[in-house]
Amino acid sequence: MPATRLLLFLAGLAGAAGVALAAAAAHLGGVGLETAATFLILHAAALVGISALAAGAPGMPFARVALIGGFILFVGLALFSGDLAARAFLDDRLFPMAAPIGGSLLIGGWIVLAISAAFRR
């Protein structure tokens, strides 16, 4: 299933960005960078798990819903962590309300993932 491989690819990007931001935070300091790095690394692991879950049950409704939750998580993660990184490196935001929108999408993505458990195999 191509969607599972795409999500796995995005998980790899999130993990790499998280490690890079963790290194930057260690050298430059900044709570925002540390927070962004933590969110990226933790959610990268979650995205790997969602990808594996969906790959193990191709075509199943719960797997499709879980993948949707995973993609929502990634968009939220990109907005939230991207905004924190932009504030640290550019001294500016991605756009107004990027971090709160990203955080709301993260919450929503986790809720969609929880809903996927309601579907029968």
Side-chain angles (χ1 to χ4, degrees):
M1 181 185 260
T4 58
R5 290 194 353 231
L6 175 58
L7 191 61
L8 184 60
F9 173 77
L10 295 174
L13 292 180
V19 172
L21 285 182
H27 293 284
L28 304 174
V31 175
L33 286 179
E34 291 176 5
T35 300
T38 300
F39 269 66
L40 283 161
I41 292 168
L42 291 175
H43 284 85
L47 295 175
V48 168
I50 294 167
S51 177
L53 171 80
M60 298 299 290
F62 82 90
R64 286 193 294 263
V65 175
L67 276 173
I68 291 167
F71 285 113
I72 293 170
L73 281 174
F74 181 79
V75 172
L77 185 61
L79 289 175
F80 180 78
S81 296
D83 192 58
L84 293 180
R87 291 177 192 208
F89 291 124
L90 306 175
D91 209 21
D92 200 6
R93 299 173 173 210
L94 287 179
F95 58 86
M97 300 296 292
I101 291 169
S104 296
L105 286 171
L106 285 168
I107 294 167
W110 283 109
I111 291 170
V112 170
L113 183 63
I115 290 170
S116 75
F119 289 85
R120 294 181 185 242
R121 264 191 102 107

